[in-house]
Each structure stands twice: as structure tokens, then as C-alpha cells.
Amino acid sequence: MSELDQTDERLLEILQRNATITMQELGSMVGLSHTPCWRRVRRLEEKGYISKRVTLLDPEKLELNVNVFVFVTLNRHQSNALTRFENAVNDIPEIVECYSVSGQADFLLRVIVHDVSAYDTLLKRTLIHLPEIGNLNSTIALQQVKYSTELPLQSL
């Protein structure tokens, strides 16, 4: 972490809010001309601080209104069982996040679908057939109170 200075941190802060900003605008916001700013951003990409640039879509406009959190417990916990489950999860587009977790469950999935009926179909046709599934416990989000893709860089 020590290889980042205040300018690098500021660049990351600005870019995670708006990845479409021009190098000229970005540079002026951090006190650099175009070329040094571009070099710093390039270095941050090469070092892996910036993993990719994306466009965030509005789920409501796309009628993807239902977030489901699924706690998954596997039947077996051998390495190959975990790998088979993880590989299968990667092939399901409705699963937008998957975490290996501690506690009673083995994994936490975040699933986004159009409606509850679509989740029911996904559950019956796909999720219960994932490798090594022991138990699924679904929680449907009623309201999104906070959502951010920005990392808390001020705590670095």
C-alpha cells in the first residue's frame, strides 16, 4: 500500500466515481497535466489497483427489481466439491456476487432477477441442481437502503 501517494489515492477516488472523465479533466482535478496524469493512471492499471472500467446500469430501468440473498450450505467440503460449486456459480448470469463465508453457511450469493416468479424458476431449474448443494436459504430484499461501488479510500 505504501507505493500509493495522495495523488494516486485522489485519482482512484475520482475514477471510481466517474470512469469516463477525460485525462485533461482528471489531471486538472489533481494538479497534473495530461501526460503525467495518464502515466499515473496507466501505472495504477498495471499494478492492479484499477482492475477494470465498467458502466453501471440502472436495474429498475431494466426491470431487474428483485435482489435475493441466498445462503448456501454444501453437502461436502472437500477441495474438489468447493471448486465444482464455484465453477458452476460462475456460469449463472443471475448470480452477480458469490462469497465464501464463515458461520452456518458456506457461501452467500446475490441473485438479481425480474420478479419473485423468475427467482422461483431459477431456484427450481438451476440453483437446487448446483453441485454439492446441501441447503439453500433465500432472503428477498424489500428495499435497497444503500448501494455503492466506491471503496472507502479515506480509510487507507
Side-chain angles (χ1 to χ4, degrees):
M1 195 53 221
S2 62
E3 62 186 63
L4 292 182
D5 63 18
Q6 285 183 328
T7 302
D8 291 332
E9 290 176 15
R10 182 75 177 123
L11 288 168
L12 292 173
E13 183 181 319
I14 294 166
L15 285 171
Q16 74 175 345
R17 287 195 180 122
N18 180 5
T20 64
I21 192 169
T22 67
M23 282 298 145
Q24 191 68 38
E25 293 170 317
L26 182 60
S28 70
M29 293 175 79
V30 297
L32 294 172
S33 63
H34 178 279
T35 302
C37 182
W38 177 84
R39 283 188 188 125
R40 277 186 180 249
V41 170
R42 184 88 171 125
R43 181 179 54 80
L44 291 168
E45 289 172 335
E46 289 169 356
K47 297 268 186 184
Y49 289 101
I50 299 171
S51 58
K52 65 176 152 177
R53 299 182 198 197
V54 299
T55 299
L56 299 177
L57 306 178
D58 184 336
E60 285 186 32
K61 293 271 189 204
L62 298 167
E63 297 180 5
L64 292 168
N65 300 315
V66 176
N67 274 282
V68 184
F69 297 92
V70 184
F71 293 92
V72 177
T73 305
L74 301 182
N75 280 329
R76 300 181 316 137
H77 295 92
Q78 289 86 2
S79 176
N80 61 345
L82 297 171
T83 301
R84 281 199 313 278
F85 174 80
E86 291 167 2
N87 289 340
V89 163
N90 282 319
D91 294 333
I92 302 169
E94 293 89 350
I95 299 174
V96 296
E97 296 178 64
C98 175
Y99 301 92
S100 174
V101 296
S102 64
Q104 291 183 329
D106 298 311
F107 291 91
L108 173 62
L109 309 177
R110 179 171 169 232
V111 175
I112 298 180
V113 289
H114 288 285
D115 54 29
V116 174
S117 176
Y119 178 67
D120 185 54
T121 301
L122 179 70
L123 178 66
K124 291 175 180 173
R125 291 187 182 164
T126 307
L127 298 182
I128 64 171
H129 301 292
L130 286 169
E132 311 303 335
I133 285 292
N135 186 40
L136 296 171
N137 185 343
S138 304
T139 300
I140 296 174
L142 299 177
Q143 177 185 7
Q144 188 176 68
V145 176
K146 179 180 179 181
Y147 173 76
S148 177
T149 60
E150 295 178 28
L151 297 177
L153 298 181
Q154 65 277 8
S155 64
L156 294 178

Coordinates of all heavy atoms in Angstrom, one line a residue, residues 6 9 12 35 43 92 107 109 136 140:
Q6 N -0.7 10.5 -2.1 CA -2.0 11.2 -2.1 C -2.6 11.5 -3.4 O -3.8 11.4 -3.6 CB -1.9 12.5 -1.3 CG -1.7 12.4 0.2 CD -1.6 13.7 0.9 OE1 -1.1 14.7 0.4 NE2 -2.2 13.7 2.1
E9 N -4.2 8.2 -4.7 CA -5.4 8.0 -3.9 C -6.5 8.9 -4.5 O -7.7 8.5 -4.6 CB -5.2 8.2 -2.4 CG -4.4 7.1 -1.8 CD -4.1 7.3 -0.3 OE1 -4.8 8.2 0.3 OE2 -3.2 6.7 0.2
L12 N -7.7 7.6 -7.8 CA -8.6 6.4 -7.7 C -10.0 6.8 -7.2 O -11.0 6.3 -7.6 CB -8.0 5.4 -6.7 CG -6.7 4.7 -7.2 CD1 -6.1 3.9 -6.1 CD2 -7.0 3.9 -8.4
T35 N -0.3 14.3 -19.7 CA 0.6 13.2 -19.8 C 1.0 12.6 -18.5 O 0.9 11.4 -18.3 CB 1.9 13.6 -20.6 OG1 1.4 14.0 -21.9 CG2 2.8 12.4 -20.8
R43 N -0.1 3.4 -14.7 CA 0.7 2.6 -13.7 C -0.3 2.0 -12.7 O -0.1 0.8 -12.3 CB 1.7 3.5 -12.9 CG 2.5 2.8 -11.9 CD 3.5 3.7 -11.2 NE 2.9 4.9 -10.6 CZ 2.2 5.0 -9.4 NH1 2.1 3.9 -8.7 NH2 1.7 6.1 -9.0
I92 N -23.7 -18.8 -14.1 CA -25.1 -18.4 -14.0 C -25.2 -16.9 -13.9 O -24.8 -16.3 -12.9 CB -25.7 -19.0 -12.7 CG1 -25.6 -20.5 -12.8 CG2 -27.2 -18.6 -12.6 CD1 -25.9 -21.2 -11.5
F107 N -21.5 -20.4 1.6 CA -21.4 -19.3 0.6 C -22.6 -18.4 0.7 O -23.7 -18.8 1.2 CB -21.5 -19.9 -0.9 CG -20.2 -20.7 -1.2 CD1 -20.1 -22.0 -1.0 CD2 -19.1 -20.0 -1.8 CE1 -18.9 -22.7 -1.3 CE2 -18.0 -20.7 -2.1 CZ -17.9 -22.0 -1.9
L109 N -24.8 -15.9 -1.9 CA -25.0 -15.5 -3.3 C -25.9 -14.3 -3.3 O -26.8 -14.2 -2.5 CB -25.6 -16.6 -4.1 CG -25.1 -18.0 -4.1 CD1 -25.9 -18.9 -4.9 CD2 -23.6 -18.0 -4.6
L136 N -30.3 -24.5 0.8 CA -30.4 -23.2 0.3 C -31.4 -22.4 1.2 O -32.5 -22.9 1.4 CB -30.9 -23.1 -1.2 CG -30.0 -23.7 -2.3 CD1 -30.8 -23.8 -3.6 CD2 -28.7 -22.9 -2.4
I140 N -35.3 -12.4 0.4 CA -35.6 -11.4 -0.6 C -35.5 -10.0 0.0 O -36.1 -9.7 1.0 CB -37.0 -11.7 -1.3 CG1 -37.0 -13.0 -2.0 CG2 -37.3 -10.5 -2.2 CD1 -38.3 -13.5 -2.5

